[in-house]
Amino acid sequence: MNILVCVKRVPATGGRIVLTADGSDIDVRYLGFTVSPHEECAVEEAVRLVEAHGGSTTVLTLGPAAAEEQLRDAMAIGIERAVLLETDGRDWDPVATADAIVEAIRAEEAANGPFDLVLFGNESADSGGFQVGIRTAHALDRPIVTGVKALQPGDGKVVARREAPGGGWESFDVPLPAVISVKEGINLPRYPSVPGRLRARKKEIARSTPDWRSGGLEKIVLRLPQTAATTAEVIGRGVDAAPAVVDLLDRIGVLDR
């Protein structure tokens, strides 16, 4: 089974997001980067499928040169090859992103044979557009199932299962080649080992530079969500604060007198 996993370099989800002064972008000077949790599971699933059934794995991303780090993380846990569609750092909307990925897939398949599965995360952790996998499948004229939490390869097909609204499961017999977007929970991703990182560091990454294109969507401005204001009141210092503490506990009903 020949599997391609598409990932996206995103700010670490635990980081505090700060916008640039003009509100046009995220200020990344103090942020760490990773891939989305769903995509971590897609990488892990590709490695597990090939470990169990044989085949080859490739990871691909569209992003700046620094996205090499995320590709090497994927190779450190077992992905064999990596492809970087290197950009100048500008954001590509879902339409343009899918077009660039489709071109790269066609070039890879012409050189190395068809991919049986193209895996995506269900959505990215930053923009959460839910579009790129679907647009890619449509352009390639391949079936797609989204939100998948279980995969079982068969003879010329894959059985994809996802949770159904209201409980229960939906199962799909999907002929190959196919596109699948997976959700967090399909597996528990492993951590890269030190030997794995050393091996990944030595591997070459295939690079190409897609032409900048506008997909038709235009980013106007970014806004941070409203945050709840918090305040703190100092009611005293040292032992002199004890009566004030007792009075406060009494007022909020903690003390039973």
Side-chain angles (χ1 to χ4, degrees), residues 3-230:
I3 304 176
L4 172 69
V5 188
C6 298
V7 301
K8 181 183 181 183
R9 181 178 188 259
V10 298
T13 53
R16 180 172 178 269
I17 302 300
V18 177
L19 301 182
T20 55
D22 61 1
S24 64
D25 213 339
I26 295 173
D27 188 339
V28 299
R29 288 176 295 175
Y30 309 111
L31 286 179
F33 285 86
T34 183
V35 298
S36 305
H38 299 301
E39 293 170 351
E40 289 180 334
C41 291
V43 170
E44 174 68 26
E45 192 67 13
V47 174
R48 291 189 184 196
L49 287 172
V50 168
E51 286 175 344
H53 304 282
S56 61
T57 51
T58 303
V59 62
L60 177 147
T61 194
L62 173 81
E68 176 183 322
E69 176 186 358
Q70 283 66 51
L71 296 178
R72 294 200 185 279
D73 285 346
M75 290 192 289
I77 69 167
I79 297 290
E80 298 163 25
R81 294 182 61 246
V83 178
L84 173 60
L85 307 181
E86 190 170 339
T87 70
D88 60 4
R90 284 182 287 182
D91 283 338
W92 289 46
D93 67 34
V95 178
T97 299
D99 287 348
I101 290 174
V102 167
E103 287 184 7
I105 289 174
R106 287 172 175 159
E108 282 288 315
E109 291 186 329
N112 302 307
F115 293 111
D116 299 296
L117 276 179
V118 178
L119 298 182
F120 288 85
N122 204 53
E123 76 270 8
S124 61
D126 53 356
S127 56
F130 297 84
Q131 296 187 45
V132 176
I134 296 171
R135 290 181 180 277
T136 299
H138 179 73
L140 294 172
D141 195 25
R142 297 179 187 179
I144 179 171
V145 182
T146 61
V148 171
K149 298 192 78 171
L151 277 175
Q152 181 59 51
D155 185 14
K157 68 175 184 178
V158 65
V159 177
R161 301 179 69 230
R162 67 184 184 189
E163 292 176 318
W169 290 82
E170 297 174 332
S171 294
F172 302 85
D173 285 352
V174 188
L176 300 177
V179 179
I180 301 290
S181 71
V182 306
K183 291 190 73 172
E184 188 178 11
I186 189 174
N187 54 47
L188 182 63
R190 70 194 79 182
Y191 288 103
S193 65
V194 173
R197 289 191 181 278
L198 293 175
R199 287 192 298 270
R201 190 179 301 172
K202 298 176 182 178
K203 291 184 177 181
E204 292 187 7
I205 293 177
R207 300 170 185 267
S208 64
T209 305
D211 294 330
W212 163 255
R213 66 195 79 187
S214 173
L217 301 177
E218 180 183 357
K219 178 171 64 179
I220 305 300
V221 69
L222 297 177
R223 292 191 178 92
L224 293 175
Q226 293 286 341
T227 57
T230 59

